[in-house]
Each structure stands twice: as structure tokens, then as C-alpha cells.
Amino acid sequence: MAQTAGVLVGNGVVLTLGDDNRVIEDGAVLIEENVVEELGTTAALKAAHPRADFIDARGGTILPGFICAHHHLYSTFACGIAAKPSANFVEILENLWWRLDRALTLEDVELSALIPIARAIRAGTTTLIDHHASPNAIRGSLDRLADVVLRAGIRASLCYEVTDRNGAAGAEEGIAENAAWLERVQADETGRLHGLVGLHAGMTVGLKTLERCVSLMHCMDSGLHVHVAEDQADQEDSLGRYGQRVIKRLRAAGGLGRRTLAVHCIHLDGEEVDILGETDTIVVHNPQSNMNNAVGAARILDMIQRGITVGLGTDGMTSDMKEEVRTALWLRHHEHHDPRVGFVEVAQMLTKTNPLIASRLFDAPLGRIAVGAPADLIVSDHVPFTPIGPDNVLGHLIFGVCAAPVDTTIVDGQVLMRHKELQTLDWTEICARARRAAPATWGRFASLA
Ligand SMILES: [Zn+2]
């Protein structure tokens, strides 16, 4: 960075989003160190800061970076893999994910992270909340992910998916990995790392393990990150083994609350939805994954209407929130047989709720361009070719920005991609390394029962 002169991103239409929701035509954003210092017109800021490193948005849109509220970086090597066809969700877990995760080494964990994080930067995703599993390489796995996160320069909340499906020792190691990670994060000064306590799902976690994870969460003042009722199988297991539905079981264990992420929440009854509201628990919707797995559609509009915080994630399907938000919107139209429903609610999952979730976790005002806020912003190639103002920002977002490539990505004041050139990662090298490692990973995958 050009030291004290700062970075000036200008010659674009600035969308601040956030509470201000300003639209600045021919606007510019001055970044100093890691925060937004000033907003205004390009001409005014250029005149006032002639020495700043100028990034020309070339008429495009300057807006806050996107946030992904649920990701699985470890899913990378599933691209093109030969997995047995699966007839239902449990078979998908058994035939694909629970074999791929066991095939991963620490080296694979690193490579699996590099690819989707590079793609996140390219897609303008500046913060992601990951849910990691590598049962044969647990210890140190979150540190390996963190190395990639810091090298790349994005922000990430990490956790290890604890499960009892690999025996007591596996569960123990998973809990220890979360504990070590949370300790590291408490001492972290980069502002780019965060930790949650990961659990795979109620159906793979017994009483003792759940109790220990909840205890760790309270002890470290964190939250759980857990798949909830993604399929009816999770409810059937919970009712069969514990005589309670999933959300009631999590509440009884003390695992819900304002920092807990309940991911999917598709097969819930009304009482469970009420409990999510009462406990201010965060729900994360992942429409592409849900449709791909044919597990149903979460009733997110009902939840949002009841005041529940419903964010948007990709579940490892992509790092691109632009395609995920559009999918979420089309799903609502399709599901309700009504093209009028859901537009504002869904668009605001990306512009308001995901920022709220990230700000709550990272304890910083993320997902907005505001003076004093961390400088996490992007330049989109979307040149507004129709009128734009505070009232139709969401229309330009869904049908303009989300349909256009990202040109420049900045996190915490650091330029991670400049005019489509990655600055911190070498895409060609990353792909070559992954391509070299993948055959051995796939070989281990094929040999696992
Ligand atoms: Zn997931």
C-alpha cells in the first residue's frame, strides 16, 4: 500500500448499503490503513488526495464485499469425482462426503482451501464462515486453513465439524481442534480470523459430545456452527434416540443463542421456529445445495416474517454469493408459484443479514461502506445503464451487479484483486498443485468403504 497516501477507489457508482444506503454517482472511496476514511465524488477526493493510489472503477459499481455465511472449503476435490449415485441425502453423505473428508491429508486441506478462496476473491466474497472436516487429518487442520486465509487476505470464521461417526477418539480430537483454534483466535490481532464450535449435525453427535461442545462454546464465549434438519432423517434420528426434535434437543443442551449458526433448518415445525426466534439463533439458507441434494426448501420467508435472522450460504457449492442470492430468489418464485414474493427479503439476506451475522461474529461493522468501518469493498463491472438511486439499489444488485464479473476486491484495506489480477495468490500455480495432488486423494477416496 502507498503508506499514508492511501488507496482511492473512484470513477464509479458507490453503493454504501448499510443503514445509510447512499448512492454516490461518479463516487469514490478513500481507504487509509484498513478503514474507509472518506466518501465523496471522484473529482473532490482526487483533488484532496492527489498522492493516493488510484483504482479506476471505469464507471462500474463500488460496493461492500459479499459475505458467505456457510461454506465447506474441504469440498473442493469433489469436482469431477466418480461417486456412486445416491438416492437420498444419507446416501449422499455416505457415498460422497464421508468418504471424501476421510481421504484428506493436511496438504489436501490447504489445497482445498486455496482454490475456493481464490474464487471467493474473484467473486467479491470478502468474508466466509467455513465448516471444516478432515477426520484423518484433524489436528492442525484449522491452522492450515488459517494460513491460507491470511496469505490470501480474506476474513474467515473457522471451526472443525465434530462428529461421533468416527468413534470416541475422533470426536475427542475434533473438540480439541476447536478448543485450540478458539484459543488462538482469542489472541489474534489480525481481525481476519474468528472461531465457532463446529458440530456436523444432531444425527451424528451423541449426548456426551454435544454436552462437551456446548460447554466449550460457553467457556470461549462463542457459538455452535451445526447442520440442522437438512433432511427428515435428522428429525427421525433425534426423535428415535432422544425423544425430542432437533431444535428442542439443541435448546435443552444450551446450544442455541445469538452466535449459533443453525444451517439449513428445512424440516422444522412451528414450535422449533419459535424457539429459534426466542433464542435469537442465526439460520443459514443454502438453496443451491438444498436443490442439488433434493432435500426440500426451507420456509425462510415465514422465518424472516417472524423476525428470525436468516442468512445465506453456499454449503461448499460455490464461493460466489452472486449466483447464490439469485438462486434463492428464483427458488422462492418457483416454490410459491408467484413472481411477486421474496424479492426484498432475499436480496436483504445478502445486503443486510449476512453483514449483521459477520459483524456479530467479528465484532466489527462489516458489509457496508462507511467512514471508520473496515475497508472490505469491491468494484463490479456493472455499469449502471439505467437510473439508479437508493430506492432501486436492490434491483441493480440482483439484475446488474450479481450478473456481472467483479473487477477489484479489497479486504481490510489490502487489494487482493486489482482489475481481475489476483494480488496475493497465483491461480495457475494453485491449480497445478491441486491437479497434481488430486489423483492420490481420489485414490484414497475410491479405496474407502
Ligand atoms: Zn454444510
Side-chain angles (χ1 to χ4, degrees):
M1 197 194 286
Q3 301 303 323
T4 54
V7 174
L8 183 61
V9 187
N11 193 21
V13 179
V14 176
L15 312 180
T16 65
L17 303 183
D19 291 338
D20 293 349
N21 192 33
R22 287 173 66 196
V23 175
I24 309 171
E25 299 264 14
D26 196 13
V29 180
L30 178 73
I31 299 164
E32 279 188 8
E33 302 290 338
N34 63 336
V35 297
V36 171
E37 190 66 28
E38 213 176 328
L39 299 174
T41 61
T42 304
L45 291 195
K46 256 190 142 175
H49 305 279
R51 288 176 52 238
D53 174 17
F54 186 71
I55 297 181
D56 187 352
R58 296 181 279 214
T61 317
I62 302 165
L63 71 160
F66 299 118
I67 291 152
C68 174
H70 180 68
H71 205 318
H72 295 284
L73 299 171
Y74 80 83
S75 67
T76 300
F77 285 157
C79 179
I81 205 166
K84 239 172 37 183
S86 302
N88 57 52
F89 177 66
V90 173
E91 286 186 14
I92 292 169
L93 292 176
E94 290 171 350
N95 293 335
L96 177 57
W97 301 115
W98 291 353
R99 287 171 67 198
L100 178 63
D101 66 6
R102 282 184 291 147
L104 299 176
T105 63
L106 281 182
E107 167 83 358
D108 294 334
V109 168
E110 181 186 335
L111 291 168
S112 293
L114 280 163
I115 302 272
I117 286 177
R119 292 172 94 169
I121 295 168
R122 286 179 149 179
T125 301
T126 50
T127 297
L128 57 87
I129 303 175
D130 191 61
H131 202 224
H132 175 69
S134 52
N136 288 316
I138 298 176
R139 190 171 306 166
S141 58
L142 299 182
D143 281 339
R144 282 295 266 266
L145 291 179
D147 288 347
V148 177
V149 167
L150 292 178
R151 172 144 60 106
I154 62 160
R155 285 180 212 276
S157 175
L158 307 177
C159 68
Y160 188 85
E161 281 184 27
V162 174
T163 174
D164 283 327
R165 73 186 151 89
N166 300 305
E172 203 58 43
E173 223 183 316
I175 294 169
E177 182 65 9
N178 280 304
W181 173 246
L182 288 167
E183 275 188 29
R184 172 175 169 183
V185 165
Q186 283 199 341
D188 173 69
E189 289 180 350
T190 66
R192 300 194 195 196
L193 301 175
H194 176 265
L196 290 164
V197 178
L199 283 171
H200 169 254
M203 67 182 186
T204 67
V205 175
L207 289 172
K208 186 176 155 224
T209 302
L210 176 58
E211 199 177 281
R212 294 199 49 212
C213 287
V214 170
S215 155
L216 176 63
M217 151 194 158
H218 287 299
C219 173
M220 302 304 278
D221 199 20
S222 183
L224 299 182
H225 187 174
V226 56
H227 293 129
V228 169
E230 181 170 2
D231 187 82
Q232 192 58 39
D234 199 19
Q235 290 291 8
E236 284 164 11
D237 176 87
S238 193
L239 286 165
R241 286 203 287 165
Y242 312 103
Q244 272 180 322
R245 293 179 68 85
V246 177
I247 288 292
K248 281 192 156 183
R249 183 178 169 228
L250 283 170
R251 179 177 65 173
L256 300 180
R258 62 193 302 276
R259 289 198 192 87
T260 285
L261 271 64
V263 179
H264 299 303
C265 290
I266 296 169
H267 302 275
L268 301 186
D269 67 14
E271 200 183 345
E272 288 177 294
V273 172
D274 287 341
I275 294 169
L276 290 171
E278 286 159 20
T279 53
D280 200 12
T281 300
I282 295 163
V283 171
V284 185
H285 177 49
N286 305 266
Q288 296 202 78
S289 164
N290 296 159
M291 285 193 276
N292 183 46
N293 291 337
V295 289
R299 296 171 60 203
I300 60 158
L301 297 181
D302 286 352
M303 294 190 212
I304 292 169
Q305 222 162 39
R306 293 207 218 181
I308 292 168
T309 303
V310 185
L312 191 64
T314 63
D315 207 19
M317 295 282 288
T318 172
S319 294
D320 190 341
M321 295 308 295
K322 303 191 289 355
E323 60 176 79
E324 197 72 35
V325 73
R326 284 164 64 98
T327 307
L329 181 56
W330 316 151
L331 173 57
R332 303 285 91 70
H333 291 177
H334 183 74
E335 181 195 8
H336 292 266
H337 301 283
D338 186 342
R340 292 170 301 181
V341 303
F343 177 76
V344 172
E345 294 89 334
V346 169
Q348 287 186 344
M349 289 165 80
L350 191 62
T351 61
K352 279 195 167 172
T353 317
N354 278 9
L356 183 150
I357 295 166
S359 301
R360 195 182 281 183
L361 299 186
F362 285 84
D363 201 19
L366 301 178
R368 70 205 71 176
I369 298 179
V371 172
D376 293 10
L377 55 95
I378 63 174
V379 176
S380 162
D381 278 353
H382 174 59
V383 176
F385 44 79
T386 53
I388 184 167
D391 294 342
N392 71 350
V393 161
L394 296 182
H396 273 274
L397 184 88
I398 297 291
F399 295 99
V401 170
C402 288
V406 169
D407 178 75
T408 292
T409 301
I410 297 172
V411 177
D412 216 33
Q414 184 185 2
V415 182
L416 308 186
M417 181 170 75
R418 188 175 182 126
H419 300 318
K420 302 192 176 65
E421 292 291 328
L422 293 174
Q423 304 292 300
T424 53
L425 298 174
D426 181 336
W427 178 248
T428 308
E429 186 231 331
I430 291 167
C431 290
R433 275 183 67 196
R435 184 71 186 264
R436 280 197 299 275
T441 315
W442 282 8
R444 289 189 293 278
F445 172 88
S447 68
L448 287 162

PDB file of all heavy atoms in Angstrom, residues 367-394:
ATOM      1  N   GLY A 367     -19.714  -5.357   5.868  1.00  0.00           N
ATOM      2  CA  GLY A 367     -20.810  -5.395   4.903  1.00  0.00           C
ATOM      3  C   GLY A 367     -21.441  -4.054   4.601  1.00  0.00           C
ATOM      4  O   GLY A 367     -22.588  -3.981   4.176  1.00  0.00           O
ATOM      5  N   ARG A 368     -20.699  -2.986   4.783  1.00  0.00           N
ATOM      6  CA  ARG A 368     -21.192  -1.638   4.449  1.00  0.00           C
ATOM      7  C   ARG A 368     -19.967  -0.798   4.113  1.00  0.00           C
ATOM      8  O   ARG A 368     -18.851  -1.124   4.539  1.00  0.00           O
ATOM      9  CB  ARG A 368     -21.923  -1.029   5.637  1.00  0.00           C
ATOM     10  CG  ARG A 368     -20.997  -0.655   6.788  1.00  0.00           C
ATOM     11  CD  ARG A 368     -21.698  -0.633   8.114  1.00  0.00           C
ATOM     12  NE  ARG A 368     -22.026  -1.999   8.529  1.00  0.00           N
ATOM     13  CZ  ARG A 368     -22.580  -2.321   9.705  1.00  0.00           C
ATOM     14  NH1 ARG A 368     -22.887  -1.390  10.548  1.00  0.00           N
ATOM     15  NH2 ARG A 368     -22.823  -3.573  10.037  1.00  0.00           N
ATOM     16  N   ILE A 369     -20.183   0.278   3.362  1.00  0.00           N
ATOM     17  CA  ILE A 369     -19.090   1.230   3.151  1.00  0.00           C
ATOM     18  C   ILE A 369     -19.430   2.448   3.995  1.00  0.00           C
ATOM     19  O   ILE A 369     -20.385   3.179   3.691  1.00  0.00           O
ATOM     20  CB  ILE A 369     -18.930   1.610   1.667  1.00  0.00           C
ATOM     21  CG1 ILE A 369     -18.570   0.366   0.827  1.00  0.00           C
ATOM     22  CG2 ILE A 369     -17.835   2.666   1.518  1.00  0.00           C
ATOM     23  CD1 ILE A 369     -18.404   0.636  -0.664  1.00  0.00           C
ATOM     24  N   ALA A 370     -18.702   2.625   5.066  1.00  0.00           N
ATOM     25  CA  ALA A 370     -18.980   3.734   5.975  1.00  0.00           C
ATOM     26  C   ALA A 370     -17.660   4.224   6.553  1.00  0.00           C
ATOM     27  O   ALA A 370     -16.743   3.433   6.775  1.00  0.00           O
ATOM     28  CB  ALA A 370     -19.900   3.264   7.108  1.00  0.00           C
ATOM     29  N   VAL A 371     -17.598   5.493   6.795  1.00  0.00           N
ATOM     30  CA  VAL A 371     -16.371   6.073   7.359  1.00  0.00           C
ATOM     31  C   VAL A 371     -16.077   5.400   8.700  1.00  0.00           C
ATOM     32  O   VAL A 371     -16.958   5.291   9.556  1.00  0.00           O
ATOM     33  CB  VAL A 371     -16.512   7.604   7.520  1.00  0.00           C
ATOM     34  CG1 VAL A 371     -15.328   8.180   8.285  1.00  0.00           C
ATOM     35  CG2 VAL A 371     -16.640   8.258   6.145  1.00  0.00           C
ATOM     36  N   GLY A 372     -14.857   4.924   8.833  1.00  0.00           N
ATOM     37  CA  GLY A 372     -14.439   4.261  10.067  1.00  0.00           C
ATOM     38  C   GLY A 372     -14.633   2.754  10.045  1.00  0.00           C
ATOM     39  O   GLY A 372     -14.088   2.047  10.884  1.00  0.00           O
ATOM     40  N   ALA A 373     -15.407   2.249   9.092  1.00  0.00           N
ATOM     41  CA  ALA A 373     -15.633   0.796   9.018  1.00  0.00           C
ATOM     42  C   ALA A 373     -14.479   0.137   8.270  1.00  0.00           C
ATOM     43  O   ALA A 373     -13.809   0.771   7.449  1.00  0.00           O
ATOM     44  CB  ALA A 373     -16.951   0.509   8.306  1.00  0.00           C
ATOM     45  N   PRO A 374     -14.234  -1.155   8.545  1.00  0.00           N
ATOM     46  CA  PRO A 374     -13.177  -1.857   7.810  1.00  0.00           C
ATOM     47  C   PRO A 374     -13.398  -1.739   6.301  1.00  0.00           C
ATOM     48  O   PRO A 374     -14.535  -1.828   5.830  1.00  0.00           O
ATOM     49  CB  PRO A 374     -13.341  -3.311   8.269  1.00  0.00           C
ATOM     50  CG  PRO A 374     -13.974  -3.211   9.614  1.00  0.00           C
ATOM     51  CD  PRO A 374     -14.881  -2.017   9.540  1.00  0.00           C
ATOM     52  N   ALA A 375     -12.298  -1.542   5.570  1.00  0.00           N
ATOM     53  CA  ALA A 375     -12.406  -1.360   4.118  1.00  0.00           C
ATOM     54  C   ALA A 375     -12.442  -2.707   3.415  1.00  0.00           C
ATOM     55  O   ALA A 375     -11.436  -3.205   2.939  1.00  0.00           O
ATOM     56  CB  ALA A 375     -11.241  -0.499   3.631  1.00  0.00           C
ATOM     57  N   ASP A 376     -13.633  -3.320   3.395  1.00  0.00           N
ATOM     58  CA  ASP A 376     -13.875  -4.558   2.646  1.00  0.00           C
ATOM     59  C   ASP A 376     -14.814  -4.166   1.516  1.00  0.00           C
ATOM     60  O   ASP A 376     -16.032  -4.067   1.724  1.00  0.00           O
ATOM     61  CB  ASP A 376     -14.574  -5.610   3.522  1.00  0.00           C
ATOM     62  CG  ASP A 376     -13.700  -6.124   4.661  1.00  0.00           C
ATOM     63  OD1 ASP A 376     -12.623  -5.542   4.908  1.00  0.00           O
ATOM     64  OD2 ASP A 376     -14.095  -7.113   5.297  1.00  0.00           O
ATOM     65  N   LEU A 377     -14.274  -3.925   0.345  1.00  0.00           N
ATOM     66  CA  LEU A 377     -15.151  -3.475  -0.739  1.00  0.00           C
ATOM     67  C   LEU A 377     -14.686  -4.004  -2.081  1.00  0.00           C
ATOM     68  O   LEU A 377     -13.547  -4.449  -2.232  1.00  0.00           O
ATOM     69  CB  LEU A 377     -15.278  -1.952  -0.729  1.00  0.00           C
ATOM     70  CG  LEU A 377     -14.008  -1.120  -0.777  1.00  0.00           C
ATOM     71  CD1 LEU A 377     -13.684  -0.732  -2.198  1.00  0.00           C
ATOM     72  CD2 LEU A 377     -14.194   0.135   0.072  1.00  0.00           C
ATOM     73  N   ILE A 378     -15.612  -3.952  -3.025  1.00  0.00           N
ATOM     74  CA  ILE A 378     -15.320  -4.493  -4.345  1.00  0.00           C
ATOM     75  C   ILE A 378     -15.737  -3.501  -5.429  1.00  0.00           C
ATOM     76  O   ILE A 378     -16.544  -2.598  -5.190  1.00  0.00           O
ATOM     77  CB  ILE A 378     -16.049  -5.838  -4.587  1.00  0.00           C
ATOM     78  CG1 ILE A 378     -17.574  -5.669  -4.556  1.00  0.00           C
ATOM     79  CG2 ILE A 378     -15.616  -6.865  -3.553  1.00  0.00           C
ATOM     80  CD1 ILE A 378     -18.354  -6.932  -4.938  1.00  0.00           C
ATOM     81  N   VAL A 379     -15.154  -3.710  -6.600  1.00  0.00           N
ATOM     82  CA  VAL A 379     -15.609  -2.983  -7.782  1.00  0.00           C
ATOM     83  C   VAL A 379     -16.235  -4.017  -8.709  1.00  0.00           C
ATOM     84  O   VAL A 379     -15.610  -5.032  -9.028  1.00  0.00           O
ATOM     85  CB  VAL A 379     -14.441  -2.277  -8.506  1.00  0.00           C
ATOM     86  CG1 VAL A 379     -14.940  -1.617  -9.789  1.00  0.00           C
ATOM     87  CG2 VAL A 379     -13.774  -1.256  -7.594  1.00  0.00           C
ATOM     88  N   SER A 380     -17.486  -3.765  -9.102  1.00  0.00           N
ATOM     89  CA  SER A 380     -18.176  -4.652 -10.042  1.00  0.00           C
ATOM     90  C   SER A 380     -18.134  -4.036 -11.428  1.00  0.00           C
ATOM     91  O   SER A 380     -18.152  -2.811 -11.575  1.00  0.00           O
ATOM     92  CB  SER A 380     -19.631  -4.831  -9.594  1.00  0.00           C
ATOM     93  OG  SER A 380     -20.419  -5.324 -10.663  1.00  0.00           O
ATOM     94  N   ASP A 381     -18.116  -4.896 -12.447  1.00  0.00           N
ATOM     95  CA  ASP A 381     -18.159  -4.408 -13.827  1.00  0.00           C
ATOM     96  C   ASP A 381     -19.528  -3.840 -14.195  1.00  0.00           C
ATOM     97  O   ASP A 381     -19.685  -3.324 -15.295  1.00  0.00           O
ATOM     98  CB  ASP A 381     -17.837  -5.555 -14.799  1.00  0.00           C
ATOM     99  CG  ASP A 381     -16.340  -5.778 -14.931  1.00  0.00           C
ATOM    100  OD1 ASP A 381     -15.573  -4.971 -14.393  1.00  0.00           O
ATOM    101  OD2 ASP A 381     -15.937  -6.774 -15.565  1.00  0.00           O
ATOM    102  N   HIS A 382     -20.500  -3.980 -13.306  1.00  0.00           N
ATOM    103  CA  HIS A 382     -21.838  -3.468 -13.627  1.00  0.00           C
ATOM    104  C   HIS A 382     -21.819  -1.946 -13.719  1.00  0.00           C
ATOM    105  O   HIS A 382     -21.746  -1.247 -12.706  1.00  0.00           O
ATOM    106  CB  HIS A 382     -22.851  -3.916 -12.564  1.00  0.00           C
ATOM    107  CG  HIS A 382     -24.210  -3.300 -12.756  1.00  0.00           C
ATOM    108  ND1 HIS A 382     -24.947  -3.465 -13.906  1.00  0.00           N
ATOM    109  CD2 HIS A 382     -24.963  -2.498 -11.961  1.00  0.00           C
ATOM    110  CE1 HIS A 382     -26.086  -2.802 -13.803  1.00  0.00           C
ATOM    111  NE2 HIS A 382     -26.122  -2.208 -12.633  1.00  0.00           N
ATOM    112  N   VAL A 383     -21.860  -1.442 -14.934  1.00  0.00           N
ATOM    113  CA  VAL A 383     -22.012  -0.006 -15.173  1.00  0.00           C
ATOM    114  C   VAL A 383     -23.512   0.262 -15.208  1.00  0.00           C
ATOM    115  O   VAL A 383     -24.198  -0.245 -16.086  1.00  0.00           O
ATOM    116  CB  VAL A 383     -21.382   0.395 -16.532  1.00  0.00           C
ATOM    117  CG1 VAL A 383     -21.625   1.876 -16.811  1.00  0.00           C
ATOM    118  CG2 VAL A 383     -19.890   0.072 -16.544  1.00  0.00           C
ATOM    119  N   PRO A 384     -24.043   0.978 -14.209  1.00  0.00           N
ATOM    120  CA  PRO A 384     -25.494   1.188 -14.198  1.00  0.00           C
ATOM    121  C   PRO A 384     -25.943   1.885 -15.486  1.00  0.00           C
ATOM    122  O   PRO A 384     -25.638   3.053 -15.696  1.00  0.00           O
ATOM    123  CB  PRO A 384     -25.720   2.056 -12.958  1.00  0.00           C
ATOM    124  CG  PRO A 384     -24.541   1.758 -12.080  1.00  0.00           C
ATOM    125  CD  PRO A 384     -23.393   1.564 -13.033  1.00  0.00           C
ATOM    126  N   PHE A 385     -26.647   1.136 -16.320  1.00  0.00           N
ATOM    127  CA  PHE A 385     -27.047   1.665 -17.625  1.00  0.00           C
ATOM    128  C   PHE A 385     -28.511   2.098 -17.619  1.00  0.00           C
ATOM    129  O   PHE A 385     -29.064   2.463 -18.632  1.00  0.00           O
ATOM    130  CB  PHE A 385     -26.788   0.625 -18.726  1.00  0.00           C
ATOM    131  CG  PHE A 385     -27.207  -0.762 -18.352  1.00  0.00           C
ATOM    132  CD1 PHE A 385     -28.536  -1.134 -18.414  1.00  0.00           C
ATOM    133  CD2 PHE A 385     -26.269  -1.680 -17.893  1.00  0.00           C
ATOM    134  CE1 PHE A 385     -28.928  -2.401 -18.053  1.00  0.00           C
ATOM    135  CE2 PHE A 385     -26.656  -2.954 -17.528  1.00  0.00           C
ATOM    136  CZ  PHE A 385     -27.998  -3.322 -17.607  1.00  0.00           C
ATOM    137  N   THR A 386     -29.123   2.029 -16.424  1.00  0.00           N
ATOM    138  CA  THR A 386     -30.460   2.606 -16.210  1.00  0.00           C
ATOM    139  C   THR A 386     -30.343   3.458 -14.945  1.00  0.00           C
ATOM    140  O   THR A 386     -29.381   3.304 -14.187  1.00  0.00           O
ATOM    141  CB  THR A 386     -31.521   1.500 -16.008  1.00  0.00           C
ATOM    142  OG1 THR A 386     -31.073   0.639 -14.957  1.00  0.00           O
ATOM    143  CG2 THR A 386     -31.734   0.692 -17.283  1.00  0.00           C
ATOM    144  N   PRO A 387     -31.324   4.334 -14.689  1.00  0.00           N
ATOM    145  CA  PRO A 387     -31.203   5.195 -13.495  1.00  0.00           C
ATOM    146  C   PRO A 387     -31.033   4.372 -12.217  1.00  0.00           C
ATOM    147  O   PRO A 387     -31.603   3.284 -12.097  1.00  0.00           O
ATOM    148  CB  PRO A 387     -32.523   5.963 -13.488  1.00  0.00           C
ATOM    149  CG  PRO A 387     -32.949   5.989 -14.925  1.00  0.00           C
ATOM    150  CD  PRO A 387     -32.508   4.676 -15.495  1.00  0.00           C
ATOM    151  N   ILE A 388     -30.259   4.899 -11.291  1.00  0.00           N
ATOM    152  CA  ILE A 388     -30.023   4.210 -10.011  1.00  0.00           C
ATOM    153  C   ILE A 388     -30.124   5.204  -8.873  1.00  0.00           C
ATOM    154  O   ILE A 388     -29.662   6.348  -8.990  1.00  0.00           O
ATOM    155  CB  ILE A 388     -28.651   3.473 -10.018  1.00  0.00           C
ATOM    156  CG1 ILE A 388     -28.454   2.679  -8.715  1.00  0.00           C
ATOM    157  CG2 ILE A 388     -27.484   4.432 -10.258  1.00  0.00           C
ATOM    158  CD1 ILE A 388     -27.287   1.698  -8.771  1.00  0.00           C
ATOM    159  N   GLY A 389     -30.750   4.784  -7.785  1.00  0.00           N
ATOM    160  CA  GLY A 389     -30.884   5.625  -6.590  1.00  0.00           C
ATOM    161  C   GLY A 389     -31.173   4.716  -5.409  1.00  0.00           C
ATOM    162  O   GLY A 389     -31.296   3.498  -5.579  1.00  0.00           O
ATOM    163  N   PRO A 390     -31.287   5.297  -4.219  1.00  0.00           N
ATOM    164  CA  PRO A 390     -31.474   4.469  -3.014  1.00  0.00           C
ATOM    165  C   PRO A 390     -32.676   3.529  -3.108  1.00  0.00           C
ATOM    166  O   PRO A 390     -32.663   2.449  -2.515  1.00  0.00           O
ATOM    167  CB  PRO A 390     -31.693   5.504  -1.906  1.00  0.00           C
ATOM    168  CG  PRO A 390     -31.024   6.740  -2.407  1.00  0.00           C
ATOM    169  CD  PRO A 390     -31.185   6.723  -3.902  1.00  0.00           C
ATOM    170  N   ASP A 391     -33.700   3.900  -3.881  1.00  0.00           N
ATOM    171  CA  ASP A 391     -34.913   3.068  -3.934  1.00  0.00           C
ATOM    172  C   ASP A 391     -34.779   1.836  -4.821  1.00  0.00           C
ATOM    173  O   ASP A 391     -35.579   0.910  -4.702  1.00  0.00           O
ATOM    174  CB  ASP A 391     -36.106   3.899  -4.429  1.00  0.00           C
ATOM    175  CG  ASP A 391     -36.463   4.996  -3.431  1.00  0.00           C
ATOM    176  OD1 ASP A 391     -36.034   4.873  -2.266  1.00  0.00           O
ATOM    177  OD2 ASP A 391     -37.139   5.952  -3.838  1.00  0.00           O
ATOM    178  N   ASN A 392     -33.830   1.839  -5.752  1.00  0.00           N
ATOM    179  CA  ASN A 392     -33.742   0.666  -6.627  1.00  0.00           C
ATOM    180  C   ASN A 392     -32.364   0.000  -6.613  1.00  0.00           C
ATOM    181  O   ASN A 392     -31.989  -0.706  -7.543  1.00  0.00           O
ATOM    182  CB  ASN A 392     -34.172   1.016  -8.063  1.00  0.00           C
ATOM    183  CG  ASN A 392     -33.156   1.903  -8.778  1.00  0.00           C
ATOM    184  OD1 ASN A 392     -32.218   2.404  -8.159  1.00  0.00           O
ATOM    185  ND2 ASN A 392     -33.329   2.091 -10.069  1.00  0.00           N
ATOM    186  N   VAL A 393     -31.647   0.231  -5.510  1.00  0.00           N
ATOM    187  CA  VAL A 393     -30.329  -0.394  -5.354  1.00  0.00           C
ATOM    188  C   VAL A 393     -30.435  -1.918  -5.447  1.00  0.00           C
ATOM    189  O   VAL A 393     -29.617  -2.579  -6.090  1.00  0.00           O
ATOM    190  CB  VAL A 393     -29.701   0.017  -3.998  1.00  0.00           C
ATOM    191  CG1 VAL A 393     -28.588  -0.932  -3.592  1.00  0.00           C
ATOM    192  CG2 VAL A 393     -29.165   1.435  -4.076  1.00  0.00           C
ATOM    193  N   LEU A 394     -31.477  -2.483  -4.808  1.00  0.00           N
ATOM    194  CA  LEU A 394     -31.582  -3.949  -4.791  1.00  0.00           C
ATOM    195  C   LEU A 394     -31.839  -4.507  -6.194  1.00  0.00           C
ATOM    196  O   LEU A 394     -31.363  -5.579  -6.540  1.00  0.00           O
ATOM    197  CB  LEU A 394     -32.673  -4.403  -3.813  1.00  0.00           C
ATOM    198  CG  LEU A 394     -32.416  -4.072  -2.339  1.00  0.00           C
ATOM    199  CD1 LEU A 394     -33.541  -4.625  -1.460  1.00  0.00           C
ATOM    200  CD2 LEU A 394     -31.074  -4.601  -1.855  1.00  0.00           C
TER     201      LEU A 394
END
